[in-house]
Amino acid sequence: MYTWKHYVISIIKNNHFTRENIKMDSNAQIILIWIVIWTILWYLIARLLFGIQNRWQRKNAIERSKHVIMWQVNEKIAPILPWFPYNYKDLVFIGKGIDYIVFDWLSTGYLKQIVFLEIKSGNSNLNRNELMIQDCLNRKKVYYDVLRMRK
């Protein structure tokens, strides 16, 4: 099988790199030079644009990550803030779907109510999963179950 590599090797071995073998007319040389220049120019422009876009994406991802981490910290420290309406001893952190289950007054020996608590900031809304959980709770589709492990 004769590939382009074999062709290049045969040219090098037989010393076919002479001016007579590699002649081009002046128009072909000019066209080739312009193709090379435009290729390099477009490569540099594309590299510049993608570099700017990548930097912006990285910066944006870092900013989003900072906000997510700060909000996760806020969810954890909210129970110890003075304005928090429940006793921190009555809380169980879930974090997925809902933030806390509150067994209101359980630490005093009298369970008043069970609250599914979602902590949100400012104008943020419930996501799809949180809305489904809220709907299920509103329809009173909540049960208590005991699972016994077998030996």
Side-chain angles (χ1 to χ4, degrees):
M1 187 167 159
Y2 200 69
T3 64
W4 64 272
K5 290 179 187 177
H6 294 97
Y7 178 71
V8 170
I9 291 171
S10 70
I11 289 175
I12 293 171
K13 283 183 179 176
N14 297 329
N15 199 11
H16 287 292
F17 286 114
T18 61
R19 287 190 186 263
E20 294 81 32
N21 292 338
I22 309 175
K23 279 193 178 174
M24 268 192 213
D25 62 344
S26 61
N27 289 337
Q29 288 175 349
I30 291 173
I31 291 172
L32 182 63
I33 290 171
W34 275 108
I35 289 173
V36 169
I37 289 172
W38 278 104
T39 303
I40 292 171
L41 183 65
W42 279 109
Y43 171 77
L44 293 174
I45 290 171
R47 186 125 189 235
L48 177 69
L49 291 177
F50 287 125
I52 291 170
Q53 182 181 9
N54 285 343
R55 267 187 251 123
W56 178 82
Q57 286 174 342
R58 262 189 250 122
K59 185 178 177 184
N60 192 16
I62 291 170
E63 287 298 318
R64 283 192 318 247
S65 178
K66 283 180 188 176
H67 289 294
V68 167
I69 291 169
M70 285 305 297
W71 186 246
Q72 288 173 345
V73 169
N74 287 339
E75 285 179 347
K76 297 277 193 329
I77 65 168
I80 62 172
L81 296 175
W83 52 263
F84 196 75
Y86 303 105
N87 188 340
Y88 70 91
K89 294 178 186 176
D90 297 334
L91 300 174
V92 176
F93 181 76
I94 304 296
K96 187 168 184 168
I98 56 170
D99 290 331
Y100 292 95
I101 295 179
V102 182
F103 298 102
D104 204 14
W105 289 73
L106 185 63
S107 61
T108 61
Y110 169 72
L111 181 61
K112 187 168 118 180
Q113 63 183 345
I114 298 174
V115 178
F116 291 80
L117 181 65
E118 179 65 33
I119 299 174
K120 291 288 183 188
S121 68
N123 299 339
S124 62
N125 297 319
L126 296 175
N127 66 29
R128 184 174 170 257
N129 291 342
E130 294 163 351
L131 287 170
M132 288 190 298
I133 292 169
Q134 183 184 39
D135 182 52
C136 190
L137 291 169
N138 290 339
R139 289 185 290 125
K140 297 178 176 57
K141 295 287 185 181
V142 181
Y143 305 99
Y144 183 82
D145 197 5
V146 178
L147 177 66
R148 302 243 183 240
M149 300 298 289
R150 294 187 180 151
K151 292 183 180 181

